[in-house]
PDB file of all heavy atoms in Angstrom:
ATOM      1  N   LEU A 125      -0.103 -13.367  27.643  1.00 96.00           N
ATOM      2  CA  LEU A 125      -0.286 -13.382  29.096  1.00 96.00           C
ATOM      3  C   LEU A 125       1.042 -13.588  29.808  1.00 96.00           C
ATOM      4  O   LEU A 125       1.281 -13.000  30.874  1.00 96.00           O
ATOM      5  CB  LEU A 125      -1.275 -14.486  29.489  1.00 96.00           C
ATOM      6  CG  LEU A 125      -2.757 -14.138  29.424  1.00 96.00           C
ATOM      7  CD1 LEU A 125      -3.588 -15.357  29.785  1.00 96.00           C
ATOM      8  CD2 LEU A 125      -3.084 -12.979  30.363  1.00 96.00           C
ATOM      9  N   TRP A 126       1.898 -14.456  29.260  1.00 95.00           N
ATOM     10  CA  TRP A 126       3.214 -14.667  29.873  1.00 95.00           C
ATOM     11  C   TRP A 126       3.988 -13.360  29.920  1.00 95.00           C
ATOM     12  O   TRP A 126       4.586 -13.004  30.930  1.00 95.00           O
ATOM     13  CB  TRP A 126       3.989 -15.735  29.089  1.00 95.00           C
ATOM     14  CG  TRP A 126       5.343 -15.998  29.672  1.00 95.00           C
ATOM     15  CD1 TRP A 126       5.642 -16.876  30.677  1.00 95.00           C
ATOM     16  CD2 TRP A 126       6.569 -15.366  29.297  1.00 95.00           C
ATOM     17  NE1 TRP A 126       6.984 -16.820  30.952  1.00 95.00           N
ATOM     18  CE2 TRP A 126       7.577 -15.908  30.131  1.00 95.00           C
ATOM     19  CE3 TRP A 126       6.913 -14.397  28.358  1.00 95.00           C
ATOM     20  CZ2 TRP A 126       8.908 -15.510  30.037  1.00 95.00           C
ATOM     21  CZ3 TRP A 126       8.246 -13.993  28.266  1.00 95.00           C
ATOM     22  CH2 TRP A 126       9.220 -14.549  29.092  1.00 95.00           C
ATOM     23  N   LEU A 127       3.972 -12.620  28.820  1.00 96.00           N
ATOM     24  CA  LEU A 127       4.674 -11.339  28.781  1.00 96.00           C
ATOM     25  C   LEU A 127       3.988 -10.293  29.659  1.00 96.00           C
ATOM     26  O   LEU A 127       4.650  -9.457  30.277  1.00 96.00           O
ATOM     27  CB  LEU A 127       4.759 -10.846  27.336  1.00 96.00           C
ATOM     28  CG  LEU A 127       5.687 -11.665  26.436  1.00 96.00           C
ATOM     29  CD1 LEU A 127       5.406 -11.392  24.968  1.00 96.00           C
ATOM     30  CD2 LEU A 127       7.142 -11.384  26.772  1.00 96.00           C
ATOM     31  N   LYS A 128       2.679 -10.368  29.731  1.00 95.00           N
ATOM     32  CA  LYS A 128       1.946  -9.425  30.566  1.00 95.00           C
ATOM     33  C   LYS A 128       2.302  -9.614  32.039  1.00 95.00           C
ATOM     34  O   LYS A 128       2.435  -8.636  32.790  1.00 95.00           O
ATOM     35  CB  LYS A 128       0.441  -9.593  30.346  1.00 95.00           C
ATOM     36  CG  LYS A 128      -0.415  -8.544  31.037  1.00 95.00           C
ATOM     37  CD  LYS A 128      -1.878  -8.679  30.673  1.00 95.00           C
ATOM     38  CE  LYS A 128      -2.709  -7.632  31.408  1.00 95.00           C
ATOM     39  NZ  LYS A 128      -4.140  -7.707  31.060  1.00 95.00           N
ATOM     40  N   ARG A 129       2.483 -10.850  32.465  1.00 94.00           N
ATOM     41  CA  ARG A 129       2.861 -11.109  33.856  1.00 94.00           C
ATOM     42  C   ARG A 129       4.244 -10.551  34.170  1.00 94.00           C
ATOM     43  O   ARG A 129       4.591 -10.382  35.337  1.00 94.00           O
ATOM     44  CB  ARG A 129       2.812 -12.606  34.151  1.00 94.00           C
ATOM     45  CG  ARG A 129       1.398 -13.161  34.273  1.00 94.00           C
ATOM     46  CD  ARG A 129       1.393 -14.510  34.961  1.00 94.00           C
ATOM     47  NE  ARG A 129       2.095 -15.514  34.185  1.00 94.00           N
ATOM     48  CZ  ARG A 129       1.521 -16.316  33.289  1.00 94.00           C
ATOM     49  NH1 ARG A 129       0.223 -16.194  33.046  1.00 94.00           N
ATOM     50  NH2 ARG A 129       2.225 -17.219  32.653  1.00 94.00           N
ATOM     51  N   ARG A 130       5.025 -10.286  33.154  1.00 93.00           N
ATOM     52  CA  ARG A 130       6.359  -9.718  33.330  1.00 93.00           C
ATOM     53  C   ARG A 130       6.402  -8.229  33.038  1.00 93.00           C
ATOM     54  O   ARG A 130       7.466  -7.675  32.808  1.00 93.00           O
ATOM     55  CB  ARG A 130       7.353 -10.492  32.464  1.00 93.00           C
ATOM     56  CG  ARG A 130       7.690 -11.834  33.101  1.00 93.00           C
ATOM     57  CD  ARG A 130       7.981 -12.920  32.105  1.00 93.00           C
ATOM     58  NE  ARG A 130       8.269 -14.163  32.811  1.00 93.00           N
ATOM     59  CZ  ARG A 130       7.336 -14.981  33.296  1.00 93.00           C
ATOM     60  NH1 ARG A 130       6.058 -14.677  33.138  1.00 93.00           N
ATOM     61  NH2 ARG A 130       7.661 -16.078  33.939  1.00 93.00           N
ATOM     62  N   GLY A 131       5.244  -7.598  33.024  1.00 94.00           N
ATOM     63  CA  GLY A 131       5.193  -6.148  32.957  1.00 94.00           C
ATOM     64  C   GLY A 131       4.702  -5.555  31.659  1.00 94.00           C
ATOM     65  O   GLY A 131       4.521  -4.333  31.571  1.00 94.00           O
ATOM     66  N   ALA A 132       4.507  -6.364  30.626  1.00 97.00           N
ATOM     67  CA  ALA A 132       4.064  -5.826  29.342  1.00 97.00           C
ATOM     68  C   ALA A 132       2.577  -5.483  29.384  1.00 97.00           C
ATOM     69  O   ALA A 132       1.809  -6.066  30.145  1.00 97.00           O
ATOM     70  CB  ALA A 132       4.336  -6.831  28.232  1.00 97.00           C
ATOM     71  N   ARG A 133       2.167  -4.557  28.535  1.00 97.00           N
ATOM     72  CA  ARG A 133       0.750  -4.313  28.298  1.00 97.00           C
ATOM     73  C   ARG A 133       0.340  -5.116  27.061  1.00 97.00           C
ATOM     74  O   ARG A 133       1.130  -5.295  26.135  1.00 97.00           O
ATOM     75  CB  ARG A 133       0.484  -2.830  28.050  1.00 97.00           C
ATOM     76  CG  ARG A 133       0.933  -1.937  29.200  1.00 97.00           C
ATOM     77  CD  ARG A 133       0.162  -2.221  30.498  1.00 97.00           C
ATOM     78  NE  ARG A 133       0.520  -1.266  31.527  1.00 97.00           N
ATOM     79  CZ  ARG A 133       1.449  -1.454  32.448  1.00 97.00           C
ATOM     80  NH1 ARG A 133       2.140  -2.589  32.447  1.00 97.00           N
ATOM     81  NH2 ARG A 133       1.709  -0.545  33.368  1.00 97.00           N
ATOM     82  N   PHE A 134      -0.902  -5.567  27.050  1.00 98.00           N
ATOM     83  CA  PHE A 134      -1.392  -6.433  25.978  1.00 98.00           C
ATOM     84  C   PHE A 134      -2.383  -5.669  25.120  1.00 98.00           C
ATOM     85  O   PHE A 134      -3.442  -5.251  25.599  1.00 98.00           O
ATOM     86  CB  PHE A 134      -2.023  -7.693  26.572  1.00 98.00           C
ATOM     87  CG  PHE A 134      -2.683  -8.602  25.575  1.00 98.00           C
ATOM     88  CD1 PHE A 134      -2.334  -8.624  24.226  1.00 98.00           C
ATOM     89  CD2 PHE A 134      -3.674  -9.496  25.993  1.00 98.00           C
ATOM     90  CE1 PHE A 134      -2.950  -9.473  23.314  1.00 98.00           C
ATOM     91  CE2 PHE A 134      -4.293 -10.355  25.099  1.00 98.00           C
ATOM     92  CZ  PHE A 134      -3.938 -10.336  23.763  1.00 98.00           C
ATOM     93  N   VAL A 135      -2.027  -5.462  23.839  1.00 98.00           N
ATOM     94  CA  VAL A 135      -2.904  -4.851  22.845  1.00 98.00           C
ATOM     95  C   VAL A 135      -3.407  -5.954  21.918  1.00 98.00           C
ATOM     96  O   VAL A 135      -2.609  -6.641  21.268  1.00 98.00           O
ATOM     97  CB  VAL A 135      -2.157  -3.769  22.035  1.00 98.00           C
ATOM     98  CG1 VAL A 135      -3.019  -3.279  20.879  1.00 98.00           C
ATOM     99  CG2 VAL A 135      -1.756  -2.606  22.938  1.00 98.00           C
ATOM    100  N   PHE A 136      -4.710  -6.151  21.870  1.00 98.00           N
ATOM    101  CA  PHE A 136      -5.332  -7.163  21.013  1.00 98.00           C
ATOM    102  C   PHE A 136      -5.810  -6.495  19.739  1.00 98.00           C
ATOM    103  O   PHE A 136      -6.686  -5.631  19.768  1.00 98.00           O
ATOM    104  CB  PHE A 136      -6.500  -7.820  21.752  1.00 98.00           C
ATOM    105  CG  PHE A 136      -7.339  -8.749  20.901  1.00 98.00           C
ATOM    106  CD1 PHE A 136      -6.765  -9.605  19.974  1.00 98.00           C
ATOM    107  CD2 PHE A 136      -8.726  -8.784  21.051  1.00 98.00           C
ATOM    108  CE1 PHE A 136      -7.536 -10.457  19.196  1.00 98.00           C
ATOM    109  CE2 PHE A 136      -9.507  -9.639  20.294  1.00 98.00           C
ATOM    110  CZ  PHE A 136      -8.909 -10.464  19.365  1.00 98.00           C
ATOM    111  N   ASP A 137      -5.223  -6.883  18.621  1.00 98.00           N
ATOM    112  CA  ASP A 137      -5.550  -6.319  17.305  1.00 98.00           C
ATOM    113  C   ASP A 137      -6.468  -7.313  16.600  1.00 98.00           C
ATOM    114  O   ASP A 137      -6.019  -8.308  16.032  1.00 98.00           O
ATOM    115  CB  ASP A 137      -4.245  -6.111  16.527  1.00 98.00           C
ATOM    116  CG  ASP A 137      -4.424  -5.255  15.286  1.00 98.00           C
ATOM    117  OD1 ASP A 137      -5.576  -4.985  14.908  1.00 98.00           O
ATOM    118  OD2 ASP A 137      -3.392  -4.863  14.698  1.00 98.00           O
ATOM    119  N   GLN A 138      -7.782  -7.043  16.630  1.00 98.00           N
ATOM    120  CA  GLN A 138      -8.772  -7.998  16.148  1.00 98.00           C
ATOM    121  C   GLN A 138      -8.989  -7.829  14.649  1.00 98.00           C
ATOM    122  O   GLN A 138      -9.802  -7.042  14.202  1.00 98.00           O
ATOM    123  CB  GLN A 138     -10.084  -7.831  16.919  1.00 98.00           C
ATOM    124  CG  GLN A 138     -11.061  -8.977  16.666  1.00 98.00           C
ATOM    125  CD  GLN A 138     -12.191  -9.007  17.666  1.00 98.00           C
ATOM    126  OE1 GLN A 138     -12.567  -7.991  18.227  1.00 98.00           O
ATOM    127  NE2 GLN A 138     -12.748 -10.182  17.895  1.00 98.00           N
ATOM    128  N   HIS A 139      -8.268  -8.625  13.864  1.00 97.00           N
ATOM    129  CA  HIS A 139      -8.405  -8.579  12.407  1.00 97.00           C
ATOM    130  C   HIS A 139      -9.676  -9.278  11.935  1.00 97.00           C
ATOM    131  O   HIS A 139     -10.231  -8.922  10.904  1.00 97.00           O
ATOM    132  CB  HIS A 139      -7.203  -9.259  11.746  1.00 97.00           C
ATOM    133  CG  HIS A 139      -5.924  -8.524  11.920  1.00 97.00           C
ATOM    134  ND1 HIS A 139      -4.783  -8.848  11.218  1.00 97.00           N
ATOM    135  CD2 HIS A 139      -5.584  -7.479  12.711  1.00 97.00           C
ATOM    136  CE1 HIS A 139      -3.798  -8.042  11.563  1.00 97.00           C
ATOM    137  NE2 HIS A 139      -4.265  -7.205  12.483  1.00 97.00           N
TER     138      HIS A 139
END
Side-chain angles (χ1 to χ4, degrees):
L125 275 178
W126 180 87
L127 291 163
K128 187 174 179 179
R129 286 197 296 268
R130 283 148 181 81
R133 302 297 186 266
F134 174 24
V135 172
F136 172 40
D137 193 349
Q138 192 166 27
H139 292 191

